[in-house]
């Protein structure tokens, strides 16, 4: 009717502008006659309503019921009276407008007919009235009303005779009331239809006729609706009469309507399930003896194609509800079809929250109810969700989509569901029994169990970030205790919810870090312990206890091999090697009050510092690099082996997320909106880009973007490896005896990343139907990893790695720095002369003099461009770029010399070394030894034997020569003091 009103308003505007030009005299007369007839009808109807109000409603409203049922019925009757008064007021307003128009003797047009102009308002008020009237009928309202002891009812039969021509003394009072309060109003609707039909017959084809035709259809629908509403109310009322008080007390509510009864249209439920099936507009009820089951229609699904075969001669429907599935069987297909249609329409209307208009339509038109819904339900039967309230999305009787579960004991789960189980990202709160705190799990779920990456914040101040499988910590993970009492952090492998395999434990209270293997939450096997004071040792552990002999490296470069206690006291047989080369071998004891004692042999034959002792490296044989951090690699292998399927993507949610807030934000990003990163998150786009950039020209830039992206599998892998590396070698782990372990670990990272890239490429090509390239041999693959991947990932590990190099070469760098300080005292000419640089190569023209300045005292002017170039060595972490800087330094030296000799000059080695030593002494790079050895260890193997290798060797020679100069000075000073 809203559309009808809109059309009418358009017509009205047109009518106002055009006036009498659009209406013939005949049409004016017809419209005037229709208005006059309507005026008479409205006047008569309004008078009828006034008499009903005075003689029927007011006396009934004076009743004062004392029982609960009577009070409830009175509330319903008050609501019915409100609807009646609204209908009466609308009739009076329509009558007033029509009378005013007629008395003004103006021309009539369609907009003057209020029942058309305000048709939607008329329809709504009539619908509200009859729905409320039907509610009163359902609860036997009129039967209770006639039992009123009010004096007004003594003369009521006489009053009713005025309204009912066929009223007899045998007619019941309740039936009389029922008839009086609906028949005049229903008849009035028919009068509207007759009047509008007569008007429509004389109208010409056009917009006016269309408006009236549409209004007639709506009023005819209203008549059909009223008829159906009253039929349903009487049908429902009869049911409540036939059932016992036990059922009616629990099932009877004013708004509920019976739609179908298996006694009228036979159908039976599953064997021994029920005696009677009742379909209401909001619930489906199965009655069995003296008990019944009801199912909310909003959570009922009807499947006509049920797989279960019905008994011979029966036609079945499968009824699906949140906790039960059962079957309804009819004896012929027509009965099944009717029940199926009525069930589906009832479910659809229940989901819409309102009945159809008319209730069932003319020919039963209506769409199927949606299979996906949103609703709240409390689980009642035994099972995982017993007593839990679920609010969220459903699909065929099971939680499916986004939802929230709440248990009575305080547990909550908010997240994704699939086929009735937690599946996808979810947040679960579990109350702790002994204290008023919660464990909070923010992770991925698979078929009802935690699986994949998650962040779990326990109520005891511990936090776990890592992988799960079947509700247990499994794979790589980090457990950290943030409380002040016992602060610790474990980074490593988990199995069956316990620490198992390779892992790193940091005890912040004791100031020490354990690097090694675990078994069932205990240190077990080979392990390295590094302390805050710089002491470290390697021992065999059994259930957290040290067993057998080990190696102990002390902070003063002493090395002890043998047995020792947890407080690092030597006991039993052992060998103590001193930094100066002396060796004490024997039996050690530590008696109370007597200190450490030994009985053995002191070997003083070797008086030189032994690097094998002072720089001994731990863990190389006992922790093969291939066996470290398997838990990280396994997640990515599983992803690739699965074909990079979307359901396994949670394995990669990983360690670029460091807080639960970030994790939630990341989930919202993943499941709601996509970003505009260079590397797309979607795996199909990733595989497509892998194929597009497999060429050598674009591959490096692609790998760089992929490794920097937190949404790309390779970027996630790199982030996890970065965290593992920092957990091992940063802070307390910064110990020179772990340098080789760290170095080979980074090289292995590059190799594995290259392997995973190759795996992604092979998968992408296979999915495109292309043949992948032949497998690259191991050595060639290692070279690719070293040359292409290592420089890209090195910045992530450089701070910790370079610290290890600095500690390892600390003594040599100290000597070198002392030598640099000595050489820095020389003016340029004196230094060139001291380093035996040939005089014809001296750039004396660069020594610009000022007033009263002597050339022999000028410093830091010669080879200034080469010096500034070499100083850039510390500005980059890439070994390739460091070698390029070294090459440019060489070119700057050669360019300066060519300018001095005024011709192109290729420096021979005899000339290069003194000049390079001069530049090195002026560049004053603090940790040059660490820089040189880092470049040497991590440079591209293809550069060995080339120009880069030659220049690096020359730089290393200068470094060693400066050290020897300082060492000789120390020895000379020592000899002088001795003499």
């Amino acid at each position: 009717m809203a559309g009808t009103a809109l059309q009418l308003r358009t017509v009205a505007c047109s009518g106002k502008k055009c006036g009498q030009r659009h209406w013939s005299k005949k049409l004016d007369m017809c419209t005037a006659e229709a208005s006059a007839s309507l005026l008479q009808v409205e006047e008569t109807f309004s008078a009828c309503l006034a008499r009903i109000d005075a003689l029927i409603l007011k006396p009934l409203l004076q009743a004062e019921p004392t029982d609960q049922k009577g009070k409830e019925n009175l509330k319903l009757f008050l609501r019915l009276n409100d609807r009646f008064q609204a209908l009466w007021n609308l009739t009076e307003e329509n009558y007033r407008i029509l009378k005013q128009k007629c008395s003004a003797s103006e021309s009539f047009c369609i907009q003057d007919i209020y029942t058309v102009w305000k048709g939607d308002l008329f329809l709504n008020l009539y619908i509200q009235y009859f729905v409320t009237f039907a509610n009163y009928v359902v609860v036997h309202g009129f039967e209770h009303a006639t039992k009123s002891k009010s004096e007004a009812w003594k003369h009521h039969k006489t009053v009713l005779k005025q309204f009912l021509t066929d009223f007899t003394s045998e007619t019941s009072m309740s039936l009389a009331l029922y008839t009086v309060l609906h028949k005049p109003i229903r008849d009035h609707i028919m009068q509207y239809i007759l009047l509008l039909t007569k008007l429509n017959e004389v109208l010409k084809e056009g917009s006016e006729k269309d408006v009236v035709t549409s209004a007639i259809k709506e009023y005819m629908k209203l008549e059909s609706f009223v008829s159906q509403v009253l039929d349903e109310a009487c049908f429902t009322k009869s049911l409540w009469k036939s059932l016992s008080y036990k059922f009616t007390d629990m099932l009877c509510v004013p708004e509920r309507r019976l739609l179908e009864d298996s006694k009228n249209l036979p159908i039976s439920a599953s064997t021994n399930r029920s005696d009677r099936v009742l379909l209401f507009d909001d619930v489906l009820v199965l009655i069995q003896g003296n008990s019944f089951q009801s199912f909310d229609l909003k959570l009922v699904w009807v499947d006509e194609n049920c797989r279960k075969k019905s008994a011979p001669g029966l036609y079945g429907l499968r009824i699906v509800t949140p906790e039960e599935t059962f079957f309804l069987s009819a004896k012929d297909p027509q009965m099944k079809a009717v029940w199926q249609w009525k069930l589906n329409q009832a479910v659809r209307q229940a989901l819409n929250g309102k009945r159809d208009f008319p209730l069932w339509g003319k020919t039963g038109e209506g769409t199927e109810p949606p299979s996906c819904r949103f609703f709240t339900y409390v689980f009642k039967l035994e099972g995982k969700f017993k007593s839990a309230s679920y609010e969220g999305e459903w699909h065929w009787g099971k939680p499916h989509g986004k939802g929230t579960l709440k248990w009575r004991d305080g547990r909550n789960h908010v997240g994704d569901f699939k086929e009735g189980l937690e599946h996808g990202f979810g947040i679960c709160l579990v109350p702790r029994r002994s204290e008023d705190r919660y464990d909070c799990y923010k992770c991925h779920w698979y078929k009802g169990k935690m699986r994949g990456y998650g962040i779990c914040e326990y109520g005891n101040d511990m936090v776990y970030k890592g992988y799960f499988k079947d509700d247990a910590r499994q794979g790589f993970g980090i457990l950290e205790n943030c409380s002040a009492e016992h602060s610790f952090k474990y980074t490593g492998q988990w199995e069956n919810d316990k620490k198992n395999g390779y892992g790193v434990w940091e005890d912040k209270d004791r100031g020490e870090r354990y690097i090694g293997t675990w078994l069932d939450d205990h240190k077990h096997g080979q392990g390295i312990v590094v302390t805050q004071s710089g002491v470290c040792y390697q021992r065999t552990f059994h259930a957290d206890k040290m067993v057998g002999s080990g190696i102990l490296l002390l902070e003063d470069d002493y090395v002890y091999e043998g047995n020792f206690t947890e407080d690092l006291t030597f006991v039993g047989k052992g060998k103590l090697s001193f930094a100066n080369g002396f060796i004490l071998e024997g039996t050690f004891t530590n008696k109370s009050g007597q200190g450490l004692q030994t009985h053995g042999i002191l070997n003083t034959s070797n008086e030189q510092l032994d690097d094998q002792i002072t720089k001994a490296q731990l863990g190389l044989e006992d922790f093969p690099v291939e066996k470290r951090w398997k838990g990280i690699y396994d997640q990515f292998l599983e992803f690739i082996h699965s074909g990079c399927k979307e359901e396994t993507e949670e394995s990669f949610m990983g360690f670029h997320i460091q807080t639960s807030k970030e994790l939630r934000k990341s989930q919202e990003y993943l499941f709601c909106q996509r970003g505009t990163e260079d590397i797309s998150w979607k795996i199909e786009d990733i595989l497509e880009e892998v194929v597009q950039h497999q060429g050598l020209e674009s591959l490096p830039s692609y790998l760089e973007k992929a490794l920097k992206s937190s949404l790309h599998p390779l970027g996630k892998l790199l982030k996890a490896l970065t965290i593992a590396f920092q957990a091992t070698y940063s802070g307390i782990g910064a110990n020179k005896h772990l340098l080789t372990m760290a170095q080979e670990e980074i090289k292995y990272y590059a190799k594995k990343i290259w392997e995973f890239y190759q795996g992604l490429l092979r998968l992408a090509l296979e999915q495109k139907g292309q043949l992948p390239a032949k497998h690259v041999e191991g050595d060639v693959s290692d070279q690719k990893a070293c040359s292409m991947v290592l420089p890209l990932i090195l910045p992530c590990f450089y701070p910790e790695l370079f610290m290890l190099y600095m500690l390892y070469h600390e003594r040599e760098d100290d000597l070198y720095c002392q030598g640099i300080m000595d050489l820095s005292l020389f003016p340029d000419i004196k230094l060139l002369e001291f380093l035996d640089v040939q005089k014809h190569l001296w750039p004396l023209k660069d020594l610009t003099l000022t007033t009263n300045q002597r050339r022999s005292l000028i410093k830091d002017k010669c080879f200034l461009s080469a010096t500034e170039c070499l100083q850039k060595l510390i500005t980059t972490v890439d070994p390739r770029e460091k070698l390029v800087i070294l090459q440019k330094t060489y070119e700057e030296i050669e360019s300066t010399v060519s300018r001095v000799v005024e011709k192109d000059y290729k420096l021979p080695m005899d000339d290069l070394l003194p000049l390079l030593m001069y530049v090195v002494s002026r560049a004053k790079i603090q940790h040059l030894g660490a820089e040189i050895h880092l470049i040497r260890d991590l440079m591209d193997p293809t550069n060995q034997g080339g120009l880069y290798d030659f220049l690096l060797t020359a730089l290393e020679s200068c470094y060693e020569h400066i050290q020897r100069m300082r060492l000789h000075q120390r020895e000379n000073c020592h000899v002088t003091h001795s003499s």
Side-chain angles (χ1 to χ4, degrees), residues 72-86 124-142 178 181-182 225-226 229-230 233 253-257:
E72 291 176 357
N73 286 349
L74 181 59
K75 289 181 180 178
L76 278 175
F77 194 76
L78 287 169
R79 197 175 305 156
L80 178 62
N81 179 65
D82 291 341
R83 305 294 190 215
F84 180 89
Q85 299 300 328
N124 287 333
L125 286 179
Y126 277 95
I127 289 171
Q128 290 173 12
Y129 177 80
F130 278 102
V131 168
T132 308
F133 178 83
N135 291 345
Y136 195 66
V137 170
V138 165
V139 296
H140 303 85
F142 293 111
Y178 169 80
L181 289 177
H182 91 271
F225 174 82
V226 171
V229 164
L230 296 178
V253 292
E255 296 79 12
R256 180 168 290 162
R257 300 291 182 272

Side-chain angles (χ1 to χ4, degrees), residues 121 180 229 376 493 538 552 589 732 813 823 873 939:
L121 179 60
V180 167
V229 164
T376 300
Q493 186 75 6
Q538 182 170 332
L552 174 63
T589 58
I732 298 173
D813 277 343
L823 294 176
L873 196 71
M939 68 187 291

Side-chain angles (χ1 to χ4, degrees), residues 59-153:
L60 284 174
L61 290 171
Q62 293 173 6
E64 296 180 359
T66 56
D67 62 311
Q68 183 63 32
K69 189 71 176 176
K71 292 179 180 179
E72 291 176 357
N73 286 349
L74 181 59
K75 289 181 180 178
L76 278 175
F77 194 76
L78 287 169
R79 197 175 305 156
L80 178 62
N81 179 65
D82 291 341
R83 305 294 190 215
F84 180 89
Q85 299 300 328
L87 201 60
W88 188 13
N89 291 336
L90 182 65
T91 304
E92 286 285 309
E93 184 181 358
N94 191 27
Y95 171 74
R96 180 181 53 79
I97 292 173
L98 286 169
K99 188 175 182 180
Q100 182 180 2
K101 195 71 179 176
C102 290
S103 62
S105 301
E106 296 179 5
S107 298
F108 281 91
C109 55
I110 294 298
Q111 67 266 29
D112 295 324
I113 302 177
Y114 208 49
T115 49
V116 177
W117 176 247
K118 291 287 186 178
D120 50 354
L121 179 60
F122 275 78
L123 288 174
N124 287 333
L125 286 179
Y126 277 95
I127 289 171
Q128 290 173 12
Y129 177 80
F130 278 102
V131 168
T132 308
F133 178 83
N135 291 345
Y136 195 66
V137 170
V138 165
V139 296
H140 303 85
F142 293 111
E143 285 80 353
H144 285 90
T146 55
K147 295 178 183 178
S148 172
K149 297 180 180 180
S150 171
E151 288 293 327
W153 286 110

Side-chain angles (χ1 to χ4, degrees), residues 572-633:
K573 290 185 178 181
K575 181 172 73 172
L576 180 62
S577 302
F578 297 90
N580 60 4
F582 291 3
I583 297 175
L584 176 60
E585 191 168 3
T587 302
F588 295 85
T589 58
N590 187 19
K591 295 182 180 180
S592 178
Q594 298 181 8
L596 181 64
Q597 296 180 342
T598 182
H599 179 74
I601 300 172
L602 178 64
N603 185 349
T604 60
S605 59
N606 186 5
E607 295 188 10
Q608 284 190 336
L609 292 173
D610 189 350
D611 281 353
Q612 290 185 348
I613 295 175
T614 60
K615 296 183 178 181
Q617 295 296 291
L618 301 179
L620 301 180
E621 296 179 0
D622 301 296
F623 310 121
V625 69
E626 299 84 6
K627 295 185 178 180
R628 302 178 214 160
W629 313 123
K630 279 185 85 282
I632 297 177
Y633 304 129

Side-chain angles (χ1 to χ4, degrees), residues 869-870 873 880-893 916 920 935 947-956:
C869 185
L870 185 60
L873 196 71
R880 296 176 305 182
E881 295 177 359
K882 290 179 183 290
L883 288 171
V884 170
I885 290 171
L886 186 57
Q887 181 185 4
K888 289 181 178 179
T889 301
Y890 165 73
E891 291 171 353
E892 287 294 336
I893 294 173
L916 185 58
V920 169
I935 298 170
L947 176 61
Y948 286 148
D949 194 7
F950 164 73
L951 293 175
L952 186 61
T953 302
L955 181 63
E956 193 171 4

